[in-house]
Amino acid sequence: MGRKERGYKYNERSQFYAHYARSYRFPTTDEYFQSAYETFDWWTFAVRVFPATLNSDLKQQVANNYEIGVKDNTWEIIRFKADYYLMDIKNEIYYDPVNFANENYHHTLHHGLEMEAEMDLCRQVTGHIYYTYQNASFEGGKYGGYRIPLVPRHVISAGVVLRPIDPLTLGLNVNYVGNMPVANDPGYNSSPLEGRTTMDLTAAYELKEMRIFGVIRNVTGEKYFSNATRNFQGNTAFYTAPERSFEGGVSIRF
């Protein structure tokens, strides 16, 4: 991936910037294959079987990425960053529910606004909020103007980090993910996947080169669907997310 960046510092700790990058994504091994499937004709009561095939015509996708923004650290206790980005993608790899295969869409656009702010409320407490607005759409062609599935418009994360003693860090985070079109449904034939709000608790203890950490995700046990897809019969299948989960581990720096 090639990248060029330019910046202008308006004080010692802050700057406006702009950068351009060109990126590529090659198809994964499973994306080259079209799974076997069957269809049933209700008029003739005949079953047609389509065997698995190799899609050797699938191309790599190429993106031109543009970004402009500001990083402001004028005041030590407040840190702010905002940027607008645009991804102009040719031959994006997507799943076509009509042909039941991964294909290249000739042109898609992903653009949006990202903002984040952190503030030291006191020596032991830091607050933060992150917000992303994103709009990903098909340009021209049979799905022109429609949103790309499984891309939410709004994502918000806000929380606090506590440091009651130097080695110990505690965190509380609230996450919101907005609604989004379901997978395999670029034509909006199904209702969108509903948004959700969850809360996470984190803890970490550092001792020299060792870090012990733990996370409780979705503390309140919020019930929601993490994914949804539309099958060839037009039915929507929903995938239930865990109501509450626990993670933990140990990391060592060498």
Side-chain angles (χ1 to χ4, degrees):
M1 180 177 72
R3 173 171 175 164
K4 297 180 180 178
E5 182 166 331
R6 296 289 185 271
Y8 168 73
K9 297 184 68 173
Y10 55 90
N11 63 43
E12 291 185 359
R13 299 166 51 87
S14 308
Q15 69 169 353
F16 295 107
Y17 71 92
H19 80 69
Y20 162 80
R22 187 173 176 84
S23 61
Y24 307 86
R25 186 174 88 79
F26 291 90
T28 60
T29 301
D30 62 301
E31 286 175 329
Y32 278 114
F33 288 89
Q34 178 178 337
S35 301
Y37 64 94
E38 299 178 356
T39 61
F40 182 76
D41 190 328
W42 290 96
W43 295 100
T44 63
F45 298 99
V47 177
R48 296 186 63 191
V49 178
F50 295 83
T53 58
L54 175 65
N55 183 6
S56 58
D57 294 328
L58 199 61
K59 306 179 182 69
Q60 68 179 25
Q61 69 179 45
V62 181
N64 291 301
N65 308 302
Y66 308 88
E67 183 178 325
I68 58 172
V70 58
K71 300 175 183 178
D72 190 283
N73 299 296
T74 303
W75 299 278
E76 291 188 7
I77 64 170
I78 300 175
R79 297 166 293 281
F80 175 78
K81 179 183 177 182
D83 67 79
Y84 171 79
Y85 69 89
L86 171 66
M87 298 173 60
D88 189 347
I89 303 178
K90 300 296 191 296
N91 294 323
E92 178 164 353
I93 301 167
Y94 81 111
Y95 184 80
D96 189 332
V98 176
N99 298 324
F100 306 105
N102 291 299
E103 296 184 355
N104 294 106
Y105 206 85
H106 67 287
H107 188 199
T108 63
L109 282 179
H110 300 242
H111 67 98
L113 176 67
E114 299 172 319
M115 295 188 294
E116 60 182 71
E118 296 181 350
M119 182 176 182
D120 298 327
L121 303 176
C122 63
R123 185 176 179 274
Q124 290 80 22
V125 183
T126 299
H128 62 265
I129 182 168
Y130 310 128
Y131 170 72
T132 299
Y133 167 80
Q134 52 191 350
N135 187 2
S137 61
F138 297 99
E139 299 297 310
K142 57 185 176 182
Y143 299 125
Y146 286 108
R147 290 169 58 190
I148 293 176
L150 297 182
V151 179
R153 282 270 176 85
H154 304 280
V155 178
I156 304 173
S157 178
V160 293
V161 176
L162 310 177
R163 292 174 291 276
I165 57 177
D166 284 341
L168 179 64
T169 302
L170 304 174
L172 169 66
N173 215 64
V174 178
N175 314 290
Y176 170 77
V177 178
N179 63 41
M180 64 192 89
V182 304
N184 301 352
D185 187 26
Y188 290 6
N189 296 299
S190 302
S191 299
L193 188 63
E194 293 184 357
R196 73 261 188 179
T197 302
T198 59
M199 183 184 299
D200 303 329
L201 289 176
T202 63
Y205 189 89
E206 296 194 21
L207 184 62
K208 294 183 178 180
E209 285 75 28
M210 179 181 294
R211 182 173 183 269
I212 305 170
F213 62 91
V215 182
I216 305 176
R217 300 198 183 280
N218 193 10
V219 174
T220 60
E222 180 73 16
K223 296 180 179 181
Y224 66 94
F225 298 114
S226 61
N227 198 353
T229 184
R230 189 169 185 266
N231 63 23
F232 71 94
Q233 294 177 321
N235 301 317
T236 303
F238 294 91
Y239 298 84
T240 305
E243 293 185 18
R244 185 181 293 108
S245 61
F246 303 85
E247 299 176 15
V250 177
S251 63
I252 301 176
R253 294 188 298 270
F254 295 96

